[in-house]
Amino acid sequence: MRLVSFLQVLLLLGIAAYLALFALENPELVRLPLPTGRGEVSVSVGVSVSLFLLVGALFMALLLLPGLVRERLRRQSEARLRRDTEDRLTATLQARLAAMQPPAAQLPATQPPAMPPPAAAPTVTPTLPGTDAGVAGSAP
């Protein structure tokens, strides 16, 4: 599909180059028939080239539009499918986690502590050798 789009762009550029060359070589008025079949319009060659380039660009855009719309719809459906899958997986995971936890009625009322609290350590007062300080807190 990309090759066809590339060829369309090349063809449009070729036509634009040919019409630009034609417009440069013939600075005259061109008579274009009206679509209703009654009368004609006289315009310069530059205006007619611009008009035909615009018509060609619109034609190319109409050829590319269905592919772009199809791609957008495909991306939207993939995003919707991904979102639905993630929701289902989340619900499944939550259900399994809820099944793994024991119910509140089966939990023991009191649990013994894992380790007993540490006992109070005895306080030691250091004494320096050669001093008459015997026991801490006694009068001299």
Side-chain angles (χ1 to χ4, degrees):
M1 187 64 174
R2 291 183 185 183
L3 179 65
V4 172
S5 300
F6 179 70
L7 291 176
Q8 287 173 348
V9 170
L10 283 181
L11 180 64
L12 184 63
L13 287 175
I15 292 171
Y18 178 75
L19 289 175
L21 181 63
F22 180 78
L24 288 174
E25 289 182 0
N26 299 312
E28 306 175 350
L29 289 179
V30 177
R31 294 183 315 198
L32 298 175
L34 293 175
T36 58
R38 296 181 185 165
E40 53 190 31
V41 175
S42 294
V43 294
S44 69
V45 174
V47 172
S48 65
V49 167
S50 300
L51 179 67
F52 289 126
L53 282 177
L54 181 64
V55 169
L58 288 174
F59 177 70
M60 188 183 72
L62 287 176
L63 288 176
L64 293 176
L65 190 63
L68 294 174
V69 170
R70 189 173 34 248
E71 181 67 21
R72 182 174 179 186
L73 291 175
R74 184 185 64 83
R75 285 185 183 181
Q76 285 178 349
S77 66
E78 284 180 359
R80 189 179 324 111
L81 179 63
R82 187 180 314 114
R83 201 174 328 116
D84 292 343
T85 304
E86 287 175 358
D87 290 344
R88 283 197 323 261
L89 287 173
T90 302
T92 303
L93 180 62
Q94 288 175 349
R96 286 191 179 189
L97 287 175
M100 288 177 51
Q101 294 177 353
Q106 293 180 358
L107 289 177
T110 59
Q111 294 180 352
M115 291 181 57
T123 58
V124 178
T125 31
T127 58
L128 294 174
T131 59
D132 290 337
V135 179
S138 62

